[in-house]
Amino acid sequence: MQRRVQRDPRSPRAKRLTRVLVCAVAVPLVAAGCSSDSGSDDGKDKGASASASQSASPSPTVRAAAYGTLPKPCEVLSEKTLDDLVPKAKSGKEGSSDDVSTRGSCSWSSLDNNGVKGSQFRWLNVSLLRFDSDTTRGAGDELAQEYYDKQVRDVQSAEGAKGTKSEPVGGTGDEATAVRYELKKKEGTFKQQTVVARVENVVVTVDYNGAGLAGDKTPDADDLMKDAQKAAEEAVGSVTKVNGTGAAPSGSASASPSKSASGSASKSASGSASKSPSESASKSASKASSKS
């Protein structure tokens, strides 16, 4: 009987067969590994691309406000102007403010007693309101423009006003409007003059009224209006001066605003000034009359 010859595993033919089998098994594993690595790289590339896209998106910005501060309200008018408008006023009374860099006001009362002929009363109030830029609400000058328009409308619709007239005023800030009307009070007939002006991101409101008390003649409205416009022009000049020529913008263009430009500013905007100038003047007139 013949026995089958066993092949020597170390023979050249057996070695070649072994190498073929090893390569056949290794190829799918390498391919699978490459496929897995390729998918991982794709995920990283997509994540990096999304991250780059997000970082490239610009943050919201808004034009910076031109003016960053306000003058002291009781110092916006010269002594000469005060002597002309409120000759008997001893000093101004500054209104309350939680942030003097964004809002302020000052008022003066004058009673010129002419004895049996009566007396001449004058009341003057200057209010200042500054708006910062806000990435949500807009640029400071635009916010000031909105408030300016509202302020003019409010003055034109004052309660109890008679014979209301309005006219634009040139040479006072970027824009200005003068409003005049009469108010009859128990003390007499008050001639009310209000000038609302805007310069950049600041709104200036000047209230000036006069009355002849205890039988004295009623003051001329045209003369009062000229004085009110003079005071408004001077107050606007003080705002510009305190911020310097070519004043640097207030804060960065994309910075959040201070509380001033928010709702709180509008609530206390002109305080006692344009909210009800006739009431303030009437009270001042009553006090002045009782002292005389």
Side-chain angles (χ1 to χ4, degrees), residues 223-289:
D223 291 339
L224 293 177
M225 179 55 78
K226 289 178 183 179
D227 288 339
Q229 292 181 8
K230 176 184 177 182
E233 184 177 354
E234 196 169 315
V236 167
S238 294
V239 172
T240 302
K241 183 178 180 180
V242 77
N243 283 281
T245 304
S250 169
S252 61
S254 59
S256 298
S258 65
K259 296 179 181 179
S260 61
S262 305
S264 59
S266 298
K267 291 180 181 179
S268 61
S270 56
S272 61
S274 57
K275 181 179 180 181
S276 183
S278 60
E279 291 181 8
S280 299
S282 180
K283 290 179 181 179
S284 298
S286 297
K287 290 180 180 179
S289 298

Side-chain angles (χ1 to χ4, degrees), residues 152-195:
V152 171
R153 291 193 300 269
D154 289 346
V155 174
Q156 292 171 332
S157 58
E159 185 178 355
K162 294 184 178 180
T164 303
K165 296 180 181 179
S166 302
E167 60 182 354
V169 178
T172 304
D174 296 310
E175 56 188 329
T177 300
V179 183
R180 66 171 72 184
Y181 53 83
E182 286 187 2
L183 283 167
K184 291 188 180 296
K185 297 291 182 178
K186 62 180 181 180
E187 297 83 8
T189 300
F190 288 81
K191 299 284 187 177
Q192 173 68 36
Q193 323 296 317
T194 300
V195 179

Side-chain angles (χ1 to χ4, degrees), residues 19-135:
R19 284 198 297 271
V20 169
L21 292 174
V22 170
C23 289
V25 173
V27 168
L29 293 175
V30 171
C34 292
S35 175
S36 176
D37 289 345
S38 175
S40 176
D41 289 344
D42 288 346
K44 292 180 180 179
D45 290 343
K46 290 179 180 179
S49 177
S51 176
S53 176
Q54 292 177 357
S55 63
S57 300
S59 58
T61 60
V62 65
R63 182 174 62 258
Y67 294 158
T69 190
L70 292 175
K72 294 180 180 179
C74 291
E75 297 179 6
V76 296
L77 302 179
S78 66
E79 290 185 8
K80 183 181 184 306
T81 298
L82 292 174
D83 287 341
D84 291 341
L85 274 63
V86 281
K88 298 299 181 178
K90 295 181 178 180
S91 62
K93 181 180 179 181
E94 186 171 348
S96 61
S97 173
D98 58 358
D99 187 352
V100 294
S101 71
T102 58
R103 67 181 70 85
S105 65
C106 190
S107 62
W108 298 261
S109 296
S110 172
L111 183 68
D112 189 1
N113 193 335
N114 297 318
V116 294
K117 295 182 179 179
S119 56
Q120 285 291 321
F121 174 77
R122 300 289 185 274
W123 183 79
L124 172 66
N125 191 100
V126 177
S127 67
L128 311 169
L129 179 64
R130 184 181 66 82
F131 290 84
D132 282 330
S133 292
D134 185 310
T135 54

